[in-house]
Amino acid sequence: MTRQIKRPLTLRDVSEASGVSEMTVSRVLRNKGDVSEATRQKVQDAAKRLGYVPNKIAGALASQRVNLVAVIIPSLGNMVFPEVLSGISETLEDTELQPVVGVTDYMPEKEEKVLFEMLSWRPSGVIIAGLEHSDASQAMLRQSGIPVVEIMDIDGEPIDACVGISHRRAGRIMAEEIITAGYKRIGFMGTKMPLDHRARKRFEGFTRTLAKAGIEIADQEFYSGGSALAKGREMTAKMIERTPDLDFLYYSNDMIGAGGLLYLLEKGVDVPGQIGLAGFNGVELLDGLPKRLATMDACRREIGVKAAQIIAARNAGETISDDPIVKLEPKLQPGDTLRCN
C-alpha cells in the first residue's frame, strides 16, 4: 500500500468548513481586525478540526520577519537553562512571538552554525547566552538588524543589550564570605572550563579577592566535561587524597558540589566544621540533600523574563530602558555547609 500525500490546507478550506469568507478567516487567524466573538469561534473551531496551520513564511516574504525568537544556549542537560527558558516562554505567551531553541554545547564553531541557521529564517529577535562569541558570530549578530539580548552575564560589552549578573562579583562575594568564616586552605573544582566563560570569571573574582586577604588556592582541578553528581564525588575524592589539609571546597556549580557533599558525608567528615563547601546556581532540585549546599542564586528565571520583555517591547516599537545592560544581583544562600559567624 502507498500512503496518499495530502495537499496543504488553505484559507479556502477553512472558509468552506466554517461558512465564513476567506478575508474574515484571514483576519481571525492573524488576530487582526474587528470580528465578532461568534464568528471568531466558528473559524477557530473549523481550523482546529481540519488541522490547519497558517503559512507564516508566506507572510514573512513581505515583512522579512517571522514571529520566532531564536534562543541559543550552551546546554539542555545543565539544569540552569530550563529555568531561563521557562521565564522566556511564559513572558512571550501573551505575544505573537514564539521561542525556538538551539544548543551549542559550549562550542564556538557550533554556535556559529546554529546562529547561521536560525538567522536564515529571519527571526524577530535573538536571545543568546554569554558575551563571548567568535568573530563570525559577532558579525552575524551585528548585521542581523533585529533585537539581540545576550544573557547570563554582564561582565563585558554587549552587542545590543544584555541581562544577567556579574560573575566576577559573584566570585568575590563568595570569597568574602569564606574569608569571614575563617577558612584558609581552599580548593576549587570546575567543569566545562575554560569554555564556560562565566565559571572562569567567577574563578577570577574568587581568587583575586582571596589574594587580597593573603590566601592562595591550595589545590584546583578543571574538567572539560559536563556537570554530574558522580563527577563531583570523583573530583572531591582525588583532591582530598592529594591535599588532605583543605578546609574549604568551592565548586563551579551545584551538581558537582552536591556530589562532593555526599562523598564527604559518607566518609564521616564534619561539614562545615572540618570542611566547608559551596557551589553556584541555587538549583532547587538539590533541596532534598542531607545538608543544604551553600550556593548563590543566579536569578535564572528573572533573566529569561527580562530578556523576553526586551525582545517583545522592541518588536512592538517600545523601549523598556535606555540602558542596554540590565544588571541583576546574585544572592548568597549560606545553607548548612558554610560556617556562620
Side-chain angles (χ1 to χ4, degrees), residues 81-226:
F81 294 102
E83 198 165 344
V84 177
L85 294 176
S86 176
I88 293 171
S89 179
E90 289 173 16
T91 303
L92 295 180
E93 270 184 3
D94 295 330
T95 75
E96 294 183 348
L97 302 173
Q98 180 69 35
V100 178
V101 179
V103 180
T104 69
D105 295 321
Y106 291 92
M107 298 167 62
E109 62 274 17
K110 190 167 181 181
E111 182 178 271
E112 288 179 17
K113 182 180 179 182
V114 170
L115 194 54
F116 178 86
E117 293 296 334
M118 286 194 158
L119 288 177
S120 72
W121 285 94
R122 299 297 187 268
S124 294
V126 175
I127 297 174
I128 186 168
L131 292 167
E132 286 77 20
H133 314 287
S134 69
D135 290 344
S137 290
Q138 287 192 51
M140 285 188 281
L141 289 167
R142 291 185 191 281
Q143 296 300 320
S144 65
I146 57 177
V148 174
V149 182
E150 293 161 287
I151 59 171
M152 313 302 290
D153 191 4
I154 61 165
D155 292 322
E157 290 294 324
I159 289 169
D160 182 5
C162 68
V163 179
I165 67 167
S166 167
H167 287 265
R168 290 193 178 96
R169 173 169 166 73
R172 185 167 69 248
I173 292 171
M174 186 60 75
E176 289 169 350
E177 196 70 21
I178 290 169
I179 293 166
T180 301
Y183 296 106
K184 298 185 182 300
R185 295 286 292 167
I186 299 162
F188 177 84
M189 282 168 265
T191 60
K192 284 292 182 187
M193 308 257 296
L195 292 175
D196 186 342
H197 297 285
R198 293 172 293 285
R200 174 181 55 78
K201 290 174 184 178
R202 288 197 300 278
F203 183 61
E204 289 173 1
F206 185 71
T207 53
R208 287 175 185 172
T209 305
L210 291 179
K212 289 179 181 177
I215 300 173
E216 293 186 4
I217 293 288
D219 199 350
Q220 61 188 50
E221 185 170 342
F222 304 106
Y223 170 65
S224 62

Side-chain angles (χ1 to χ4, degrees), residues 60-72:
L61 293 176
S63 67
Q64 294 296 301
R65 291 282 175 265
V66 293
N67 290 336
L68 300 177
V69 176
V71 181
I72 302 172

Side-chain angles (χ1 to χ4, degrees), residues 23-43:
M23 186 177 294
T24 302
V25 168
S26 177
R27 286 204 298 268
V28 170
L29 296 178
R30 289 184 297 115
N31 199 26
K32 303 288 185 181
D34 186 19
V35 181
S36 72
E37 187 56 37
T39 300
R40 186 180 302 278
Q41 192 64 51
K42 190 184 298 184
V43 170

Side-chain angles (χ1 to χ4, degrees), residues 7-33 35 39-40 42-44 46-47 50 52 54:
R7 65 172 177 81
L9 293 168
T10 65
L11 286 177
R12 177 174 292 181
D13 294 311
V14 181
S15 172
E16 292 174 352
S18 62
V20 174
S21 72
E22 288 185 42
M23 186 177 294
T24 302
V25 168
S26 177
R27 286 204 298 268
V28 170
L29 296 178
R30 289 184 297 115
N31 199 26
K32 303 288 185 181
V35 181
T39 300
R40 186 180 302 278
K42 190 184 298 184
V43 170
Q44 290 173 342
L50 292 172
Y52 174 80

Side-chain angles (χ1 to χ4, degrees), residues 280-295:
F280 182 82
N281 279 322
V283 176
E284 293 181 3
L285 183 64
L286 301 178
D287 286 350
L289 290 172
K291 287 180 178 284
R292 290 177 299 128
L293 182 69
T295 186

